[in-house]
Amino acid sequence: MDNEQIIKTEYADIMQKSYIDYAMSVIISRALPDVRDGLKPVQRRTLYDMYELGIRYDRPYRKCARIVGDTMGKYHPHGDSSIYEALVVMAQDFKKGMTLVDGHGNFGSIEGDGAAAMRYTEARLEKVTQEAFLADLDKDVVDFMPNFDETEKEPTVLPVRFPNLLVNGSEGIAVGMVTSIPPHNFGEVIDGVKAFIKNNKITTEELMSYIKGPDFPTGGIVVNQSDLLDIYTTGSGKIRLRGRVEIEKGKNGRDRLVITEIPYTMMGANIGKFLNDVAALVESKKTTDIVDISNQSSKEGIRIVLELKKNTDTENLINMLYKKTRLEDTFGVNMLAVADGKPETLGLKAIIEHHVDFQFEVTTRKYRTLLTKELGKKEIQEGLMKACDCIDLIIEILRGSKSQKQVKECLVNGITEGIRFKSKASEKAAAGLRFTEKQAAAILEMRLYRLIGLEIEALQKEHEATLKNIETYTDILNNYKSMAKVIIRELDALKKEYAIPRKTSIENAAEAVYEEKKVEEMEVVFLMDRFGYVRTIDVPTYERNKEAADSENRYVFPCMNTDKICLFTDLGRQHLLKVMDIHFGKFRDKGTPVDNLCNYSSTEEQIICVESLGKVKNAELLFATSQGMLKKVEGQEFDVAKRTIAATKLQEGDKLLSVTVLADTAQLVLRTHQGYFLRFPLEEVPVKKKNAVGVRGIRLSQKDAVEEVYCMAEGEDKVTTYQEKEVHLNKLKIAKRDGKGTKYRV
């Protein structure tokens, strides 16, 4: 085509621009809340849709499926699950400082149970949402914008009367940024806003005399009060949270620990994880003081009970729970919100400042609308009062006119042409009339009953009230102090009705310190059978059952109960497991699968060597692979903190054949699948690092591989069998490493 335009551009430029556009869309239009109303777009649209559908706090509940469908069809063209999830969270009192939606049905639980499907649940607006979020939308207090298909209008922000961003907090992940704002106490936040309105030069530290810190709906204790000033000044930091633990006296002089409040971060599946962690502490014998764990939580609140032994050091045990479980956790604060159309990390004062500016803007627009309305009423009232004074003349004009237009022109401009009057005096009086267009329209619509004496008095009183309103509204609009007084009055009314006592305590607590009970060191015998089940027994038990233990198990060796066990696999990995984690018991106990105790997977790899770390780290290890690669490694390299490491580097297609702890070895013999034997001194194998491949021990022909590695002491006569024939290894001639070897003839 002649008028076709092809724009040539760099692909990288297109990608960069497109990605930036996408990122900004996610940041501004999905993931981050607006600092003014503290809501993300999906929350704002859901609440506005409920308001439009008339699902008010004093009306019946409506199906959530109806709310979600209507919101998706009109305002939020994304998945229904995201809308329903936002609706559910706004109704969960254990997640929000103040619920915005009144849910009816199963809306999930603090223990992580999900809400029922939207077709089963119902909802309506909370009273506070209706009064403090959605009131005055008819007074032009906020801007409206077209929805996605320009068939509806939606508010760009809701006229929220308190800093919802602080009261309910917010969490969201955008592109390259994340927001995490803790909830705060409603009454304290209102006191902070009032203090800022009265003195906008107030410091963050002074604000914190009103807003003490976060107030989580789950309660708990903030233990790093001294860090809060820095967090609220910068807008980011870490809050340390602890659950609340009470000590109750049980039967027979036994105490019990009762957890009545949990850290906010422990909600959901983490409660189950906490119970598992406590059970793991008992199983691993980190503590022997807990005899029973029960979760007695209900709708009334959290109650996790730990039954204790007699004479337990409860203080030490509580500190252990703080240290070893999520009973003490951190809440990462990053107060990121959309301010003036762009994402910004805000401190406490900045959030309140943005909110107060917004309140003054909303109040200005509200009273400007009300003033305009009152001025219109004043104009009409004055017209009607003036009309009452000359009602006989107006009736004469009405009766002498041929059309409504003729009457209106006479009332507004004094045009009497075409109107029949009873006298010239009446015509002259009519020519002097100068009502406004609105007054003339009101006079024409006026009903005769308004001429009753009492009605005229009522009109005069109404006019006086209008004049008073105009005076009040003008004063509010022109005087900062008057407007501030109005905003503070509204805040006081909200506080009186909706403020609740603080749930979270704030203090400076010492670091949790507990004394670990020293494990009594003793020698045990490690047993691992051919099915991969491991256990340990004491030495006397082993001595009594030595013959059976040696014949029934693949690996048997002594070690200390404080030691670790090294498992080397054919994939070149080393897995470590603590002896303390291994079942210790009777000889005929079944034991535990080794897969359950470390990262080893019996479906992916095979164990080729098992040894105690105590023995490994004080020796040299010989590594041999099926492709004939050899190396010696210092055992100290395998004494690591990680549970799994790469013990050696393997070439493509190669597998680790054997790992041998060297003691008196002087010579090596390698045997291949095709029957080649090579004998050479061990000193020809160099010491390498664990991440090295090693050196070639034998030259292999195609399709051949090393099958056995024999270690021999000086002068040792070692005999093996090959194809049912005995082979005396010390009779093989000594050669050099990296030779082809001698083929054994059967």
Side-chain angles (χ1 to χ4, degrees):
M1 291 173 69
D2 294 336
N3 55 359
E4 184 179 5
Q5 287 187 331
I6 297 172
I7 300 168
K8 290 188 177 182
T9 185
E10 280 288 333
Y11 184 70
D13 295 342
I14 293 275
M15 285 297 292
Q16 185 178 7
K17 184 181 181 305
S18 300
Y19 191 76
I20 288 171
D21 290 346
Y22 158 73
M24 288 307 294
S25 172
V26 172
I27 291 164
I28 304 298
S29 304
R30 198 178 299 188
L32 299 187
D34 193 300
V35 70
R36 296 171 293 176
D37 61 5
L39 298 171
K40 297 178 187 179
V42 64
Q43 296 169 322
R44 187 180 301 119
R45 287 164 174 168
T46 305
L47 294 177
Y48 179 67
D49 186 74
M50 291 174 76
Y51 177 76
E52 285 291 286
L53 287 173
I55 312 173
R56 312 293 165 84
Y57 76 93
D58 52 354
R59 295 185 190 174
Y61 294 94
R62 296 280 284 279
K63 283 284 184 191
C64 290
R66 170 67 196 277
I67 298 165
V68 170
D70 205 63
T71 304
M72 186 165 57
K74 285 183 181 176
Y75 309 114
H76 198 70
H78 302 286
D80 57 352
S81 60
S82 64
I83 300 170
Y84 186 51
E85 279 172 27
L87 180 69
V88 165
V89 169
M90 287 192 287
Q92 291 177 326
D93 58 3
F94 51 86
K95 278 192 182 173
K96 292 288 179 188
M98 175 173 280
T99 55
L100 306 181
V101 171
D102 180 8
H104 186 238
N106 176 13
F107 274 78
S109 76
I110 194 169
E111 293 184 47
D113 303 312
M118 66 180 92
R119 60 183 177 275
Y120 301 121
T121 55
E122 297 176 330
R124 64 185 177 190
L125 290 171
E126 288 277 16
K127 188 181 180 187
V128 67
T129 315
Q130 198 169 312
E131 290 180 356
F133 282 69
L134 298 157
D136 301 329
L137 278 174
D138 57 340
K139 296 182 178 68
D140 188 36
V141 288
V142 292
D143 293 332
F144 278 71
M145 63 181 182
N147 69 337
F148 61 91
D149 61 0
E150 299 189 359
T151 56
E152 302 275 347
K153 292 276 189 186
E154 61 174 301
T156 55
V157 64
L158 293 184
V160 182
R161 292 185 184 177
F162 60 86
N164 180 52
L165 190 65
L166 288 174
V167 172
N168 274 326
S170 186
E171 288 184 8
I173 300 170
V175 179
M177 54 184 69
V178 62
T179 184
S180 180
I181 303 170
H184 294 78
N185 184 269
F186 182 76
E188 290 181 9
V189 169
I190 284 188
D191 288 341
V193 173
K194 283 162 58 181
F196 181 86
I197 291 172
K198 290 170 184 174
N199 173 22
N200 60 14
K201 290 185 170 59
I202 192 170
T203 63
T204 303
E205 192 172 0
E206 288 167 338
L207 271 173
M208 286 182 65
S209 64
Y210 302 98
I211 303 170
K212 312 289 184 190
D215 186 25
F216 296 99
T218 53
I221 308 162
V222 171
V223 294
N224 60 332
Q225 186 177 15
S226 55
D227 297 337
L228 293 182
L229 178 58
D230 185 55
I231 291 169
Y232 283 130
T233 304
T234 61
S236 62
K238 287 185 177 178
I239 292 170
R240 272 180 35 235
L241 272 169
R242 284 181 186 170
R244 196 176 296 280
V245 184
E246 295 174 0
I247 301 168
E248 289 183 3
K249 293 289 178 187
K251 293 176 183 176
N252 305 322
R254 290 179 175 179
D255 289 336
R256 60 164 74 106
L257 295 185
V258 181
I259 297 159
T260 55
E261 292 176 10
I262 58 171
Y264 189 64
T265 50
M266 208 171 103
M267 268 192 306
N270 286 327
I271 293 178
K273 188 178 183 306
F274 167 74
L275 296 171
N276 291 336
D277 288 346
V278 175
L281 289 174
V282 176
E283 285 174 17
S284 63
K285 295 187 171 59
K286 287 272 174 33
T287 178
T288 55
D289 295 326
I290 300 171
V291 294
D292 188 45
I293 311 161
S294 60
N295 186 2
Q296 300 173 12
S297 303
S298 63
K299 286 181 179 178
E300 279 68 50
I302 292 289
R303 184 177 167 84
I304 298 169
V305 181
L306 308 180
E307 299 282 352
L308 309 180
K309 285 182 179 176
K310 278 185 181 179
N311 304 319
T312 296
D313 183 351
T314 51
E315 196 66 38
N316 194 50
L317 182 59
I318 291 169
N319 283 341
M320 182 188 195
L321 294 175
Y322 285 149
K323 206 78 176 168
K324 295 284 186 182
T325 70
R326 294 193 76 162
L327 194 60
E328 180 176 314
D329 207 355
T330 56
F331 181 94
V333 177
N334 189 34
M335 301 206 285
L336 185 73
V338 177
D340 300 323
K342 62 181 187 294
E344 193 178 335
T345 302
L346 303 160
L348 178 66
K349 183 180 175 182
I351 290 174
I352 291 176
E353 188 172 0
H354 277 286
H355 171 75
V356 169
D357 288 347
F358 177 59
Q359 281 307 299
F360 273 89
E361 181 194 332
V362 166
T363 309
T364 300
R365 290 178 66 160
K366 173 184 173 180
Y367 283 99
R368 200 176 284 151
T369 303
L370 289 175
L371 180 61
T372 304
K373 194 175 176 183
E374 291 297 313
L375 288 170
K377 279 167 69 177
K378 173 178 174 272
E379 183 183 341
I380 289 166
Q381 287 163 358
E382 285 175 349
L384 291 175
M385 286 163 68
K386 189 177 167 184
C388 287
D389 292 339
C390 58
I391 193 65
D392 294 334
L393 176 62
I394 291 169
I395 290 169
E396 195 174 330
I397 294 166
L398 286 166
R399 295 183 70 180
S401 300
K402 294 173 183 171
S403 67
Q404 189 174 322
K405 186 181 177 184
Q406 207 174 27
V407 177
K408 205 167 187 181
E409 282 186 347
C410 179
L411 292 173
V412 174
N413 301 314
I415 299 170
T416 57
E417 196 175 326
I419 301 172
R420 288 182 288 103
F421 288 94
K422 290 180 181 178
S423 65
K424 287 287 181 183
S426 296
E427 187 175 353
K428 187 178 178 183
L433 293 175
R434 290 294 182 273
F435 289 99
T436 64
E437 290 276 348
K438 287 180 182 176
Q439 288 172 338
I443 290 165
L444 289 171
E445 290 169 7
M446 184 174 69
R447 297 184 179 184
L448 288 173
Y449 79 86
R450 298 298 296 269
L451 299 174
I452 300 168
L454 288 174
E455 283 297 322
I456 294 170
E457 280 181 33
L459 180 62
Q460 286 169 343
K461 282 182 181 177
E462 195 179 320
H463 181 58
E464 285 170 14
T466 301
L467 291 175
K468 195 173 181 181
N469 285 342
I470 290 169
E471 185 184 352
T472 303
Y473 299 160
T474 306
D475 178 53
I476 290 169
L477 288 168
N478 295 333
N479 192 328
Y480 174 88
K481 285 185 178 177
S482 300
M483 189 176 286
K485 204 177 281 183
V486 169
I487 293 170
I488 288 171
R489 190 165 60 240
E490 289 177 351
L491 289 172
D492 284 334
L494 289 170
K495 181 183 173 183
K496 187 178 178 182
E497 186 163 359
Y498 301 110
I500 56 171
R502 165 175 277 282
K503 293 179 179 176
T504 303
S505 303
I506 296 174
E507 59 187 59
N508 275 318
E511 184 82 20
V513 177
Y514 79 99
E515 290 180 19
E516 276 194 77
K517 289 184 180 176
K518 288 186 178 177
V519 178
E520 189 181 337
E521 200 169 14
M522 62 181 279
E523 190 177 34
V524 294
V525 178
F526 172 84
L527 305 174
M528 179 176 177
D529 65 19
R530 59 196 175 93
F531 300 109
Y533 281 77
V534 295
R535 65 194 189 280
T536 57
I537 56 175
D538 59 34
V539 175
T541 304
Y542 171 70
E543 295 293 346
R544 288 195 302 272
N545 301 276
K546 189 174 187 305
E547 192 177 330
D550 291 347
S551 61
E552 292 173 9
N553 291 285
R554 187 177 166 192
Y555 295 100
V556 180
F557 54 80
C559 61
M560 301 306 293
N561 63 344
T562 54
D563 202 355
K564 293 180 181 178
I565 303 297
C566 300
L567 276 70
F568 294 95
T569 72
D570 60 345
L571 297 182
R573 295 176 190 152
Q574 175 199 268
H575 301 291
L576 280 177
L577 65 149
K578 293 178 181 178
V579 176
M580 290 296 296
D581 293 341
I582 300 170
H583 174 76
F584 176 80
K586 298 175 183 176
F587 177 68
R588 286 298 169 193
D589 287 351
K590 190 176 182 182
T592 310
V594 72
D595 304 48
N596 296 358
L597 300 173
C598 64
N599 295 330
Y600 167 72
S601 171
S602 56
T603 57
E604 294 178 9
E605 49 192 338
Q606 289 184 351
I607 295 171
I608 57 168
C609 175
V610 179
E611 193 52 86
S612 74
L613 181 61
K615 186 175 178 181
V616 165
K617 68 183 180 183
N618 296 317
E620 277 188 344
L621 274 65
L622 175 72
F623 282 74
T625 74
S626 58
Q627 290 181 4
M629 304 305 291
L630 299 173
K631 67 174 178 180
K632 289 186 287 191
V633 183
E634 294 287 346
Q636 201 69 39
E637 288 201 44
F638 301 99
D639 185 6
V640 293
K642 287 186 178 178
R643 297 180 70 185
T644 299
I645 60 165
T648 187
K649 188 176 181 180
L650 295 172
Q651 294 175 321
E652 192 176 344
D654 201 2
K655 285 200 171 184
L656 192 57
L657 180 67
S658 73
V659 177
T660 310
V661 179
L662 298 172
D664 302 325
T665 305
Q667 296 174 349
L668 295 180
V669 177
L670 304 182
R671 178 180 67 75
T672 74
H673 175 70
Q674 293 178 0
Y676 286 91
F677 284 78
L678 179 65
R679 178 185 175 196
F680 58 90
L682 176 65
E683 62 189 30
E684 293 189 16
V685 179
V687 176
K688 298 271 187 182
K689 292 290 183 185
K690 69 173 184 285
N691 57 357
V693 175
V695 295
R696 190 163 56 191
I698 186 170
R699 290 180 180 272
L700 297 171
S701 56
Q702 271 195 334
K703 296 184 180 177
D704 201 3
V706 177
E707 280 192 346
E708 289 289 347
V709 180
Y710 304 101
C711 296
M712 297 166 58
E714 193 69 51
E716 184 184 355
D717 183 14
K718 189 171 270 190
V719 181
T720 185
T721 56
Y722 177 68
Q723 294 189 352
E724 299 180 359
K725 295 285 184 179
E726 282 191 351
V727 180
H728 289 266
L729 299 179
N730 66 335
K731 291 182 180 178
L732 296 169
K733 70 175 184 178
I734 297 177
K736 293 280 187 186
R737 179 185 61 78
D738 200 20
K740 192 170 182 183
T742 307
K743 188 169 175 68
Y744 185 78
R745 306 290 177 185
V746 180

